[in-house]
Amino acid sequence: MDRVSSFDEPLKKLLGGATAKVMAEHLDLHTVGDLLHHYPRRYEERGKLTALADLPLDEHVTVVAQVADARILMFNNGRGKRLEVTLTDGSGRLQLVFFGHGVHKPHKELLPGRQAMFAGKVSVFNRKMQLAHPTYQLLDASDADEATEAVDAFAGRLLPIYPACKQLDSWRIAKAIDAVLPSAQDAVDPLPASLREGRGFTPLPEALLKVHRPQTKADLEDAKARLKWDEAFVLQVALARRRYADTQLPAVARRPVADGLLDAFDAKLPFTLTEGQEKVSKEIFDDLATEHPMHRLLQGEVGSGKTMVALRAMLTVVDAGGQAAMLAPTEVLAQQHHRSITEMMGELAEGGMLGGSDRGTKVVLLTGSMGMAARRQALLDLVTGEAGIVIGTHALIEDKVQFHDLGLVVVDEQHRFGVEQRDALRSKGKQPPHLLVMTATPIPRTVAMTVFGDLETSVLDQLPAGRSPIASHVVPAKDKPHFLARAWERVREEVENGHQAYVVCPRIGDDAEEADGKKGKAKKKAADEDPEKRPPLAVLEIADELRKGALAGLTVEVLHGRMHPDEKDDVMRRFAAGDVDVLVATTVIEVGVNVPNATAMVIMDADRFGVSQLHQLRGRVGRGSAPGLCLLVSEAHEASPARARLSAVAATLDGFELSRIDLEQRREGDVLGQAQSGVRSSLRMLTVIDDEEVIAAAREEAVAIVAADPELEHLPELRMVLAALLDKDREEYLDKG
């Protein structure tokens, strides 16, 4: 069998159809190679019990513990039977429960003093952690064949605990691994020999054996060091090749012009730029002056002045005879950018118009919902070059849109745009335009090196003067309903003091998203039986409740993505003008909405949002001189990871700190684009958050290798592994970010 094909072998051949089907559907494992790269999540030491005190709620876990107590209880007047087993490990206790006919076997086997592996989903019943109907495997029953086998296999060794699922326990995965382990000998080694020897790494086949079946802790360290390095290195080579390819593209250099638009704009600014804005602007101007395209990521907290920096870059390009396009993720945001940029520029945004400046240029808006006449005029202004700046949604990408000379593309909120859209806009220039990507989500350095590894990074870390602090609190609506009542009182107080408030909900709640009556009834029944299963709270319902109840007498309006754009714009204008007291909205307000008079925000079902998203939303208040207040309303259980996440958000306003927490909680799968492209992350061993040194060193090696051999002609194994990683979907995740 040749070296690649054994890794490509479908699991069905080795493990049988049923097991292979479960692995494919629930663990996304399809080939021998996939299974060999499904590493243990952790390791138990024989005789050393796992910490029951630290079990995560609602997760499928495998624990090794000892039976402390087992008793059968009757209920339903003696018609029903329940077996309750208490496990202990020194750190805590865990209840197991078995019902009905399922009680006989465990009642005979799970005797006090027995030790076993148990797998199941952790839930809470009567305020106690429990596993209902867990599967288990005895580790000390010498009479049971399977148990003896288990003890023999694991005696004196580290016991691997695999990421598992309800349909397949960790120890069954371990057996499947045993079946494919011989294929580890066929692993293709991506590391150049000189690098591998220079850094003293274990050969790859040996690292795979050691990670699955370590004899000692030293084995494990060897394996991890090697496998982490491989992942970091292959990814960094892919990114280095992309950066190299970009440097080979031609672009028109756009250099600042004396006494042009930029100088006129700077002269009329009512404030001076922060040191950070000056520094970042210089980095951008230097890039624009080169003859290959700029690819730069500009990150900065909400309100750190990114738009100002981007506008100055756009004006420079217009001065140099080109055009600049700003791409926004939503119509509301495109309109908002257009409004704020034309206000900032004043008469400079009215080039060629009566009362406009002779140095000015036209700033046009282009969105999908514009009327035909306005759209036709905007398209004409672009193709003739009359408009130097265009701001729009993905409508800018359509075939019909032609530019006179596109020199710069600014993308707002990168995570909302895929590589296809970025490239489609890029292809509208005579030569590739320069690219500036802006994000308000703070990104730790290591993530910038991996997710945005094809972009150079600039950071704005100072807030302009005049931003106010924001106090954040978690409101536990289920445990303490009076806290929620107090939250609405606080909103009313803010309004009485002349301010305004946002209420954010995860869902819109109009009939279009509710199914027919039957389904609706079934949903209601499920929600009544189990509040955890209820649908997320909805804008339309909450707005209605507030108008009739807690906020009666105040002007309460709604804003969501399914409204007609004119309607949305009208609501936003009235809110900005102070005619609306409370705006109940979906996350359409997450980016770019700027109303300095809004001081309070209540986020309903806050546990259904991610950490970064909560931070973004919160950034909408406290934008003026009055302090901001953000209340995170949740029904999540006090001990749940969801509540821990909310407490972390309430505890700090530092976006970089929160992005670390976010990363630790979600781990890397999501961060590296799993959520966007549906592909399992290729990072299984490397943790972007903990392995900064590995990533930085791998990046250095990768850059040197690609500079010396861009096509990797002398490194066929590396090329092969890269091709396997960068199939169509993975190529996309690298760029989606």
Side-chain angles (χ1 to χ4, degrees):
M1 193 182 286
D2 75 52
R3 299 194 312 156
V4 195
S5 63
S6 75
F7 258 48
D8 290 341
E9 190 85 49
L11 287 172
K12 193 172 169 184
K13 271 192 173 177
L14 281 159
L15 306 177
T19 305
K21 188 167 186 265
V22 172
M23 286 194 166
E25 284 175 10
H26 298 280
L27 298 169
D28 196 15
L29 304 173
H30 306 274
T31 64
V32 168
D34 287 345
L35 184 53
L36 282 171
H37 288 301
H38 186 70
Y39 306 133
R41 174 177 283 166
R42 57 192 172 81
Y43 301 81
E44 290 297 350
E45 287 180 61
R46 291 279 299 124
K48 181 175 166 226
L49 302 186
T50 171
L52 296 180
D54 304 332
L55 290 182
L57 206 59
D58 283 340
E59 271 190 35
H60 196 85
V61 300
T62 302
V63 297
V64 176
Q66 200 162 22
V67 177
D69 177 45
R71 61 182 69 185
I72 284 196
L73 303 170
M74 298 295 189
F75 60 95
N76 233 352
N77 291 331
R79 287 197 298 275
K81 238 185 223 184
R82 171 167 93 236
L83 171 65
E84 284 187 2
V85 178
T86 306
L87 301 182
T88 179
D89 71 342
S91 79
R93 290 180 160 241
L94 177 67
Q95 192 101 37
L96 309 182
V97 57
F98 300 87
F99 292 102
H101 298 304
V103 307
H104 304 304
K105 188 168 180 260
H107 187 226
K108 279 198 304 209
E109 294 181 338
L110 298 178
L111 305 172
R114 281 269 166 94
Q115 200 179 345
M117 275 193 282
F118 301 89
K121 192 172 181 185
V122 184
S123 57
V124 168
F125 182 71
N126 278 345
R127 298 194 173 269
K128 283 186 187 157
M129 293 273 212
Q130 73 164 27
L131 299 182
H133 278 284
T135 52
Y136 62 88
Q137 185 175 16
L138 299 171
L139 290 179
D140 56 1
S142 51
D143 54 342
D145 292 346
E146 206 170 293
T148 315
E149 223 176 90
V151 175
D152 290 346
F154 300 122
R157 282 197 207 166
L158 292 165
L159 184 66
I161 306 290
Y162 287 93
C165 61
K166 186 177 166 189
Q167 296 77 1
L168 205 61
D169 306 319
S170 169
W171 53 88
R172 293 206 177 90
I173 294 171
K175 277 191 167 159
I177 294 272
D178 284 336
V180 299
L181 259 184
S183 298
Q185 293 308 321
D186 302 326
V188 174
D189 196 327
L191 295 194
S194 57
L195 194 159
R196 190 173 62 238
E197 286 150 22
R199 290 184 174 266
F201 285 130
T202 302
L204 185 55
E206 194 183 314
L208 287 168
L209 285 173
K210 282 179 171 177
V211 79
H212 289 293
R213 299 293 173 260
Q215 302 285 340
T216 61
K217 286 186 176 168
D219 278 359
L220 201 52
E221 291 314 309
D222 277 359
K224 282 184 169 179
R226 170 65 215 256
L227 296 168
K228 275 183 183 183
W229 180 273
D230 279 20
E231 286 173 10
F233 177 70
V234 172
L235 189 57
Q236 291 303 331
V237 169
L239 293 164
R241 289 185 75 190
R242 173 145 315 143
R243 287 194 303 275
Y244 179 83
D246 286 339
T247 63
Q248 302 309 298
L249 293 171
V252 179
R254 312 279 177 175
R255 296 183 179 87
V257 173
D259 293 332
L261 252 176
L262 179 64
D263 285 353
F265 175 75
D266 283 351
K268 63 194 278 305
L269 275 182
F271 50 82
T272 54
L273 297 175
T274 65
E275 221 175 288
Q277 285 174 317
E278 292 277 15
K279 177 175 139 290
V280 169
S281 288
K282 184 181 181 321
E283 290 170 353
I284 292 171
F285 291 159
D286 288 349
D287 280 0
L288 289 173
T290 61
E291 289 181 354
H292 61 80
M294 164 171 83
H295 289 107
R296 191 165 280 281
L297 174 70
L298 171 57
Q299 48 166 321
E301 288 280 9
V302 172
S304 59
K306 294 184 298 297
T307 311
M308 170 64 69
V309 168
L311 176 55
R312 294 182 74 243
M314 294 198 282
L315 295 174
T316 302
V317 170
V318 175
D319 274 344
Q323 291 167 294
M326 182 183 255
L327 202 51
T330 63
E331 298 217 351
V332 170
L333 193 52
Q335 287 159 347
Q336 176 117 8
H337 275 318
H338 182 253
R339 197 159 41 238
S340 64
I341 282 175
T342 47
E343 277 166 15
M344 279 196 262
M345 286 176 64
E347 77 280 3
L348 296 174
E350 297 162 0
M353 292 151 82
L354 210 57
S357 155
D358 54 351
R359 277 188 288 190
T361 186
K362 253 192 192 179
V363 178
V364 300
L365 178 68
L366 188 65
T367 62
S369 63
M370 282 168 76
M372 276 311 289
R375 188 176 167 77
R376 200 173 294 123
Q377 185 57 54
L379 289 171
L380 189 66
D381 288 341
L382 285 181
V383 77
T384 58
E386 188 82 10
I389 294 176
V390 57
I391 294 149
T393 54
H394 51 265
L396 280 176
I397 296 168
E398 288 170 17
D399 294 342
K400 291 192 206 76
V401 182
Q402 298 297 324
F403 290 84
H404 175 64
D405 178 13
L406 180 61
L408 170 67
V409 175
V410 178
V411 178
D412 192 15
E413 287 308 315
Q414 154 74 5
H415 57 281
R416 290 155 189 265
F417 283 97
V419 61
E420 311 83 8
Q421 290 149 311
R422 225 161 77 173
D423 286 347
L425 194 53
R426 225 185 246 178
S427 67
K428 293 196 176 289
K430 293 189 179 88
Q431 286 191 327
H434 298 281
L435 176 71
L436 181 65
V437 172
M438 300 198 295
T439 178
T441 310
I443 302 161
R445 178 170 166 253
T446 41
V447 180
M449 282 196 289
T450 42
V451 185
F452 298 102
D454 60 333
L455 301 168
E456 300 298 330
T457 306
S458 294
V459 181
L460 277 174
D461 46 14
Q462 291 168 289
L463 283 189
R467 292 298 305 257
S468 300
I470 305 169
S472 307
H473 304 282
V474 179
V475 178
K478 204 174 189 176
D479 311 343
K480 301 181 178 168
H482 58 286
F483 276 38
L484 184 58
R486 176 70 188 123
W488 299 127
E489 281 171 24
R490 283 291 289 112
V491 169
R492 198 177 267 283
E493 286 163 16
E494 289 297 313
V495 172
E496 280 163 6
N497 288 332
H499 297 301
Q500 292 155 280
Y502 297 101
V503 176
V504 182
C505 303
R507 204 166 58 96
I508 298 172
D510 56 9
D511 293 332
E513 49 174 27
E514 302 301 345
D516 58 15
K518 270 187 216 153
K519 230 175 192 175
K521 279 183 194 136
K523 253 187 181 173
K524 182 173 183 341
K525 184 167 182 283
D528 290 343
E529 285 171 13
D530 182 359
E532 297 291 312
K533 297 276 191 310
R534 69 162 171 75
L537 294 173
V539 166
L540 301 178
E541 291 152 22
I542 293 289
D544 212 36
E545 280 173 31
L546 291 175
R547 286 188 192 113
K548 291 174 186 159
L551 302 183
L554 303 186
T555 320
V556 177
E557 293 277 4
V558 301
L559 181 72
H560 58 76
R562 227 175 270 142
M563 288 162 65
H564 187 277
D566 292 350
E567 239 185 312
K568 279 193 270 197
D569 211 32
D570 177 55
V571 171
M572 268 321 299
R573 272 180 203 283
R574 286 189 296 118
F575 188 62
D579 302 337
V580 173
D581 298 322
V582 178
L583 187 62
V584 184
T586 54
T587 55
V588 292
I589 62 147
E590 177 188 351
V591 281
V593 174
N594 184 21
V595 180
N597 191 45
T599 53
M601 176 178 285
V602 180
I603 303 179
M604 307 303 291
D605 274 347
D607 47 280
R608 304 204 187 215
F609 298 96
V611 170
S612 297
Q613 201 171 25
L614 291 169
H615 182 57
Q616 289 278 64
L617 286 164
R618 171 171 63 184
R620 301 292 126 213
V621 295
R623 298 175 77 87
S625 50
L629 172 70
C630 179
L631 301 173
L632 307 166
V633 179
S634 167
E635 291 186 4
H637 187 275
E638 197 171 349
S640 66
R643 272 285 284 282
R645 212 167 57 226
L646 296 182
S647 303
V649 174
T652 178
L653 290 172
D654 179 342
F656 283 93
E657 175 57 26
L658 284 175
S659 67
R660 280 188 75 86
I661 292 166
D662 192 18
L663 199 50
E664 276 167 359
Q665 294 210 334
R666 289 190 300 157
R667 295 324 285 180
E668 284 65 33
D670 278 353
V671 177
L672 293 184
Q674 181 181 8
Q676 290 92 328
S677 67
V679 176
R680 192 177 69 261
S681 160
S682 72
L683 298 195
R684 297 175 180 87
M685 181 63 74
L686 189 76
T687 54
V688 167
I689 199 143
D690 306 323
D691 295 319
E692 183 166 336
E693 285 166 27
V694 176
I695 293 168
R699 181 176 169 124
E700 241 172 79
E701 293 276 9
V703 169
I705 280 169
V706 171
D709 182 3
E711 294 306 312
L712 307 179
E713 283 170 20
H714 305 296
L715 299 167
E717 288 85 4
L718 176 55
R719 213 169 54 229
M720 192 186 288
V721 171
L722 212 52
L725 168 74
L726 297 183
D727 53 31
K728 177 90 185 68
D729 292 330
R730 302 255 167 95
E731 273 281 5
E732 280 175 22
Y733 96 44
L734 278 181
D735 240 320
K736 277 191 170 153

